[in-house]
Amino acid sequence: MVMEGILIWLLVGGIAGWLAGLIVKGGGQGIVINIVVGIVGAVIGGWLFGQLGVAIGTGIINSIITAVIGAVILLLIIGLIRGKG
């Protein structure tokens, strides 16, 4: 059961990071960076939606949507810090 959870985190993170890379920069960053960006994005998205009182539901698709939104925010902030925004 624990291994399944880890694999789902990696899958959601990879998809979310890749999609966020397409939205923000026009391309993915590589599988490892995509996974990291997606997982951090999921944390940011989950926190942000919780603060706003927004619930988009449950399930893997909703998890990916939340993670993509958080990952896009993360990449935009990184772009602003680096001066590319």
Side-chain angles (χ1 to χ4, degrees), residues 3-84:
M3 189 60 143
E4 287 177 8
I6 292 171
L7 290 174
I8 290 171
W9 272 60
L10 294 174
L11 177 67
V12 169
I15 292 170
W18 175 70
L19 289 172
L22 291 176
I23 292 167
V24 174
K25 298 190 180 210
Q29 302 296 318
I31 188 74
V32 174
I33 299 298
N34 285 345
I35 291 171
V36 171
V37 167
I39 291 173
V40 173
V43 172
I44 291 170
W47 175 82
L48 181 63
F49 286 166
Q51 294 298 311
L52 296 174
V54 175
I56 61 170
T58 60
I60 194 158
I61 299 298
N62 293 321
S63 296
I64 292 171
I65 292 168
T66 301
V68 168
I69 292 169
V72 166
I73 292 168
L74 174 65
L75 291 176
L76 289 173
I77 291 170
I78 290 171
L80 288 172
I81 291 171
R82 288 186 175 173
K84 296 179 182 177

